[in-house]
Amino acid sequence: MVPQKHIQVLREFCFDCHDSVEVEGGVNLEDLNLQMADLETAETWQKVLNVLNSGEMPPKDYGVLPADQKTELLADLSQQLVVARETLADTGGVITMRRLNRREYKNTIEALLGVSVEVNDLPDDSNPGGFDTDGSSLFFSSDQFERYLDLASHAIDKALAMEQRPERQVRRIEAEDLQLIRVQFAVAKIGEKYFSEKRPDGFKAKDLTRAEMLDALKSRRNYRWFNYEAWLRHPGSLDGTPLYNLFNDFALPDITLPDSGVGRRFVIRIRAGLLDEVPEHRRYIEYGSVSTQSARGEVNVDGARKVGGTKDEPETIEFEFVPATREDLRLRIRQRQTNSLNAAKYY
């Protein structure tokens, strides 16, 4: 008999969909007998055990079943099913071993080994009710068992093939250095005549000092250059990159990911803090890819994170990025902006 103490857990996480009113999947847990006295009841409890054990239930939007309660419930269910199997066998009852369906097996292999397998050769999961977890269609024969073993062996070979496993790489970027290079080349381009007169021996953009760049910007006043001067004079540019549209620098210089990065998982960590003048609705960084079709200022936004640190005590913000195609290999991180051409205009 399933202990009465577990009913509260089922009521909290399961009864919304599986009670006498909402009998989703044909499962009514509210009226399910705690005593596994017949085959039908035992098979239903077996279904409960399977979906809980695989993590398929409860759905994520219903919350996470506490680990200690889940462990205790699974242990009690397993024990009672063993007792029921022995009892029903004595009276001629049969409990059929239930296999994982294609979807469950594929997800299990990927979770355990980190590789994806093709499951078309596994037994068909179809049944008249349209559910792929119906125990009546998930019978297990010796031939089917061999197919599962063959696929598992192939998955292990794939996981252990070191030449197929991408090399883990770590790349560190100092944001202020990356931005300074961009400013150096921009200022060198607009002040080419100035530098040719001041440094007749020639100059290289990457060697320009902040003082030289500020001097060049003063030589010809133009509102389009004020953002460079503002960035160079901002104290935050000495040890970071202020992202604020006041400077026309709402985004970090784009990060180009390797050609082999398509489909790979990148973990991005940035240290960020708030400037006092940033309004509340823009105290976020957002990230995404920049395709060749993107207009200036546009980003294919993949996600956003709120910044809680300060300039003096920045925080580390982490997110994952998986380029789906070669078009996604340019990653842009920016202050939250209107996602349009106007995001890049000077204010």
Side-chain angles (χ1 to χ4, degrees):
M1 179 174 179
V2 179
Q4 183 73 33
K5 63 183 178 181
H6 296 307
I7 294 300
Q8 182 57 39
V9 175
L10 297 175
R11 179 177 291 109
E12 180 179 353
F13 290 94
C14 307
F15 279 13
D16 281 356
C17 300
H18 301 288
D19 60 3
S20 57
V21 178
E22 300 288 339
V23 192
E24 290 196 14
V27 177
N28 176 9
L29 297 180
E30 186 177 22
D31 296 336
L32 185 61
N33 196 331
L34 298 180
Q35 185 72 42
M36 300 182 191
D38 56 74
L39 180 60
E40 183 178 1
T41 302
E43 286 184 338
T44 302
W45 280 116
Q46 181 69 58
K47 290 180 183 179
V48 174
L49 175 66
N50 292 337
V51 296
L52 288 174
N53 203 29
S54 67
E56 185 177 341
M57 292 291 173
K60 292 182 179 179
D61 53 354
Y62 275 78
V64 178
L65 183 60
D68 56 339
Q69 296 182 29
K70 181 177 180 179
T71 300
E72 189 173 1
L73 173 56
L74 291 176
D76 286 342
L77 276 180
S78 298
Q79 181 179 5
Q80 292 306 312
L81 282 167
V82 171
V83 174
R85 184 178 294 111
E86 294 175 351
T87 302
L88 293 174
D90 290 342
T91 58
V94 176
I95 296 179
T96 304
M97 180 181 293
R98 177 194 182 280
R99 62 176 172 82
L100 292 178
N101 62 32
R102 292 180 176 183
R103 174 174 51 84
E104 292 170 332
Y105 192 75
K106 180 181 177 68
N107 291 341
T108 300
I109 290 294
E110 190 164 355
L112 290 174
L113 302 178
V115 298
S116 180
V117 292
E118 181 56 59
V119 294
N120 288 337
D121 289 338
L122 293 182
D124 190 6
D125 301 325
S126 61
N127 66 82
F131 297 100
D132 64 359
T133 54
D134 189 336
S136 63
S137 65
L138 298 178
F139 55 86
F140 211 50
S141 68
S142 60
D143 177 63
Q144 291 169 345
F145 183 66
E146 290 296 329
R147 292 193 217 173
Y148 276 84
L149 282 180
D150 289 343
L151 192 54
S153 179
H154 173 71
I156 292 174
D157 289 342
K158 187 176 180 181
L160 296 180
M162 300 304 293
E163 68 275 9
Q164 297 180 8
R165 192 172 288 180
E167 180 183 357
R168 182 175 182 270
Q169 299 180 5
V170 177
R171 181 183 175 191
R172 181 182 177 89
I173 298 173
E174 298 294 345
E176 64 272 20
D177 294 342
L178 203 62
Q179 177 70 342
L180 185 59
I181 292 173
R182 183 164 72 173
V183 174
Q184 284 172 327
F185 278 89
V187 173
K189 183 177 180 180
I190 63 179
E192 187 172 353
K193 181 179 179 182
Y194 170 85
F195 287 115
S196 63
E197 294 173 351
K198 294 289 185 178
R199 299 177 62 172
D201 56 334
F203 69 94
K204 295 181 179 179
K206 66 181 181 64
D207 296 328
L208 296 179
T209 66
R210 287 177 179 249
E212 286 178 317
M213 288 187 283
L214 286 169
D215 196 28
L217 290 170
K218 289 180 188 177
S219 67
R220 294 180 61 188
R221 308 303 293 178
N222 186 304
Y223 81 92
R224 292 176 57 85
W225 302 344
F226 289 168
N227 57 316
Y228 297 120
E229 183 176 349
W231 187 85
L232 288 166
R233 292 188 183 281
H234 196 282
S237 68
L238 295 174
D239 56 5
T241 297
L243 300 182
Y244 199 14
N245 58 2
L246 175 64
F247 311 131
N248 198 18
D249 281 316
F250 62 98
L252 292 173
D254 296 343
I255 300 172
T256 301
L257 302 174
D259 291 340
S260 60
V262 176
R264 292 177 61 182
R265 182 174 68 97
F266 291 85
V267 178
I268 313 296
R269 297 186 182 94
I270 66 171
R271 285 178 59 77
L274 296 171
L275 298 173
D276 294 336
E277 62 266 33
V278 179
E280 181 65 30
H281 69 282
R282 284 189 173 160
R283 296 188 172 195
Y284 294 80
I285 60 101
E286 56 188 3
Y287 56 90
S289 62
V290 184
S291 64
T292 54
Q293 289 79 28
S294 299
R296 186 171 66 98
E298 290 184 337
V299 176
N300 302 317
V301 178
D302 193 60
R305 297 289 187 274
K306 186 169 186 179
V307 180
T310 64
K311 178 181 177 300
D312 295 329
E313 296 184 4
E315 66 173 325
T316 299
I317 298 175
E318 178 178 308
F319 59 88
E320 293 186 0
F321 181 71
V322 181
T325 68
R326 293 179 64 85
E327 284 280 298
D328 301 324
L329 291 175
R330 275 177 60 201
L331 173 65
R332 177 172 292 175
I333 302 170
R334 70 179 188 181
Q335 179 197 34
R336 175 189 274 177
Q337 299 287 337
T338 303
N339 200 23
S340 68
L341 178 64
N342 291 331
K345 72 181 289 189
Y346 177 80
Y347 286 81

